[in-house]
Amino acid sequence: MAYAIELILNRQIADCLAIPVFITDTEGNLLFYNEPAEEILGKRYEDTGEMAVDEWSTVFKNKDENGEVLPPAELPLVKTLTNQQPYHKTFWIESLQGRAERISVTSYPIIGRSGKFLGAVAIFWRPTEE
Amino acid sequence: MNITIHGVRGSIPTTTLETKKYGGNTSCVEVEADGWRLVLDAGSGMQHIHAGNGFRNNRVDILLTHLHIDHIQGLGFFKPLFNPESEIHIWGPASKTQSLRARLGRYFSPPLFPVYFRNLTCKLVLHEVDDSSFAIGPFHIESCHIMHPGPTLGFRVRHQRGTLAYLPDHEPALGRDGLLHDVKWLSGSDLAKEADLLLHDAQYTPEEYKDRVGWGHSSLTDALEYAALTGVKKLLLTHHDPLRSDEELEKAFRHLQETTSYQFPYALAYEGLAIQL
Ligand SMILES: [Zn+2]
Ligand SMILES: [Zn+2]
């Protein structure tokens, strides 16, 4: 089955952006990530293709300011998938190689013309230090 | 099933001698089988549909891909709308903000048109569809939103004798790298997939398209590549640019034949063309 045009257009925009963008279906399976996002994930879309939710959500650990592991329910993308609302949060991600990076994530739901919930987009920002 | 093309021109009708061969009327295709009749889009070509009797319940089903004026301007001149004996079903894209009746009502009201929607004397039934699947007599129809400004549908019309895909206004190549080769990421590909016949937008030459990205239409070469990616058996190129003369159209087509090699047959759609599936 082909994806809805709302997902296709989001991918096409992401493809033009310098900001890391991840696009998921309604279950959180990763449908697409752009080139800047490949750097964060440490993988190439060309190699991995789509990734199941369990597979890509374990690529990095999410931690708060104190180094405590963040429960998934507190992550913007997970909240968006649950509530179909946009969210934003700044936290730390730690790659499997142990590299930590402070990151801000903005997520929003893709709700099509017919009102149908189709998936979500997560944009990762490197916050400018205050 | 019998398919007759009544309009192949994009955007605005033309009446010049130079466009006479392919025809100047805007989008309209008639599909008939087993005494049932569908009209795909109600462009100015609709005036050539002779709605005589002999059709079941005097019923006509009009399927509108979208409400741009070149796809509805023939509607008000379709005589069965003014005949109390006829039963007209209009299927069009749903919108979150306004009903199909309200949107079509803008056309069916002064000053654009002297007759109000409510004054049409036929038995009229409106159906709002989006990513839908429905049956009309012997036809099974699938509709799905495709890439074009405003809510726009493509249709896949299946009959036991064949499958027709109709995507007259469509820009699947919109994006940084043009058409995505993974068909899952290709707008409307479920509709076109392995169809016996695809009627597809081919308004621009590849050179023109570079300056018209985002306008909602395809180049001749993208239409061909789209047909190849979706595995259609035959392609008809339509929605010809209103400024393109017959001679220019044929020149562009010859260039296409010389510079590409595809396995499936393809041709330029023209007014009056009749095809049997
Ligand atoms: Zn058009
Ligand atoms: Zn249009």
Side-chain angles (χ1 to χ4, degrees):
Chain A
M1 269 270 287
Y3 293 124
I5 49 167
E6 293 85 345
L7 285 169
I8 298 176
L9 286 167
N10 268 285
R11 170 179 171 165
Q12 294 281 28
I13 297 173
D15 213 24
C16 300
L17 300 180
I19 322 155
V21 178
F22 296 84
I23 302 172
T24 77
D25 65 11
T26 55
E27 306 293 318
N29 300 306
L30 185 58
L31 301 182
F32 179 76
Y33 52 101
N34 64 0
E35 256 179 62
E38 289 180 343
E39 220 176 280
I40 291 180
L41 207 57
K43 293 178 186 296
R44 297 195 57 209
Y45 181 70
E46 205 183 297
D47 301 332
T48 67
E50 296 170 13
M51 290 172 82
V53 61
D54 318 329
E55 199 185 340
W56 83 282
S57 59
T58 51
V59 173
F60 33 70
K61 284 192 193 118
N62 306 293
K63 296 188 168 174
D64 65 12
E65 300 289 327
N66 307 317
E68 302 288 334
V69 173
L70 275 170
E74 281 184 34
L75 298 170
L77 182 58
V78 176
K79 284 163 89 173
T80 290
L81 289 168
T82 312
N83 307 322
Q84 300 175 27
Q85 293 282 324
Y87 291 94
H88 181 85
K89 191 180 176 72
T90 300
F91 53 96
W92 289 80
I93 54 171
E94 198 180 289
S95 70
L96 290 179
Q97 291 75 33
R99 192 165 56 93
E101 190 176 3
R102 194 159 173 266
I103 209 107
S104 287
V105 175
T106 305
S107 59
Y108 65 85
I110 303 174
I111 297 168
R113 276 207 190 96
S114 56
K116 206 156 92 191
F117 177 48
L118 300 164
V121 174
I123 305 168
F124 283 44
W125 313 88
R126 293 197 168 86
T128 43
E129 295 307 324
E130 297 90 41
Chain B
M1 85 172 153
N2 301 311
I3 300 162
T4 313
I5 314 277
H6 293 289
V8 297
R9 203 53 66 172
S11 312
I12 189 171
T14 88
T15 55
T16 61
L17 285 174
E18 288 73 33
T19 55
K20 215 176 144 207
K21 183 171 173 190
Y22 289 88
N25 278 302
T26 63
S27 301
C28 183
V29 175
E30 187 180 0
V31 182
E32 181 274 321
D34 311 331
W36 288 75
R37 175 157 39 177
L38 309 178
V39 177
L40 308 178
D41 277 335
S44 68
M46 199 181 201
Q47 62 191 294
H48 296 305
I49 296 184
H50 297 294
N53 292 326
F55 284 90
R56 204 168 295 213
N57 303 328
N58 284 331
R59 172 171 168 163
V60 180
D61 286 77
I62 301 166
L63 279 66
L64 302 175
T65 56
H66 62 311
L67 308 190
H68 283 161
I69 195 75
D70 56 323
H71 295 256
I72 61 167
Q73 66 198 143
L75 208 50
F77 303 89
F78 190 54
K79 290 204 187 81
L81 285 175
F82 304 92
N83 178 0
E85 302 283 294
S86 54
E87 179 181 330
I88 308 293
H89 292 251
I90 300 179
W91 307 73
S95 152
K96 262 301 212 196
T97 47
Q98 269 195 314
S99 69
L100 183 61
R101 175 172 282 273
R103 283 173 294 142
L104 281 174
R106 285 201 219 156
Y107 166 73
F108 278 107
S109 58
L112 289 180
F113 197 73
V115 183
Y116 283 105
F117 221 157
R118 61 170 181 274
N119 299 128
L120 299 177
T121 49
C122 65
K123 181 174 184 280
L124 183 66
V125 188
L126 296 183
H127 306 262
E128 304 207 356
V129 285
D130 42 55
D131 297 346
S132 314
S133 125
F134 48 97
I136 300 173
F139 302 107
H140 180 86
I141 293 153
E142 280 160 70
S143 61
C144 156
H145 283 284
I146 57 171
M147 269 154 55
H148 187 68
T152 303
L153 301 172
F155 293 113
R156 181 180 178 90
V157 180
R158 214 172 61 211
H159 180 269
Q160 59 180 12
R161 276 186 227 115
T163 300
L164 164 71
Y166 181 66
L167 296 89
D169 289 45
H170 189 208
E171 189 182 5
L174 180 61
R176 197 184 62 172
D177 299 320
L179 291 173
L180 296 170
H181 286 198
D182 179 351
V183 288
K184 259 203 296 192
W185 291 96
L186 203 52
S187 160
S189 62
D190 288 342
L191 301 176
K193 195 179 173 211
E194 289 162 18
D196 294 303
L197 177 65
L198 167 66
L199 255 112
H200 197 278
D201 187 337
Q203 180 151 351
Y204 305 129
T205 64
E207 294 71 39
E208 288 167 345
Y209 180 66
K210 286 182 202 142
D211 296 323
R212 291 165 174 73
V213 172
W215 289 27
H217 300 290
S218 287
S219 70
L220 290 148
T221 43
D222 282 342
L224 273 172
E225 199 182 346
Y226 184 84
L229 287 168
T230 52
V232 305
K233 307 214 176 72
K234 184 179 174 165
L235 168 69
L236 274 178
L237 303 157
T238 191
H239 211 273
H240 309 314
D241 194 280
L243 296 175
R244 185 114 46 238
S245 69
D246 294 331
E247 202 185 321
E248 289 166 334
L249 197 54
E250 285 177 349
K251 194 177 153 208
F253 186 72
R254 272 198 306 276
H255 182 70
L256 208 58
Q257 288 179 309
E258 285 158 13
T259 52
T260 61
S261 61
Y262 288 101
Q263 299 303 312
F264 55 87
Y266 59 93
L268 296 166
Y270 60 89
E271 230 171 283
L273 174 62
I275 297 156
Q276 247 185 358
L277 288 186

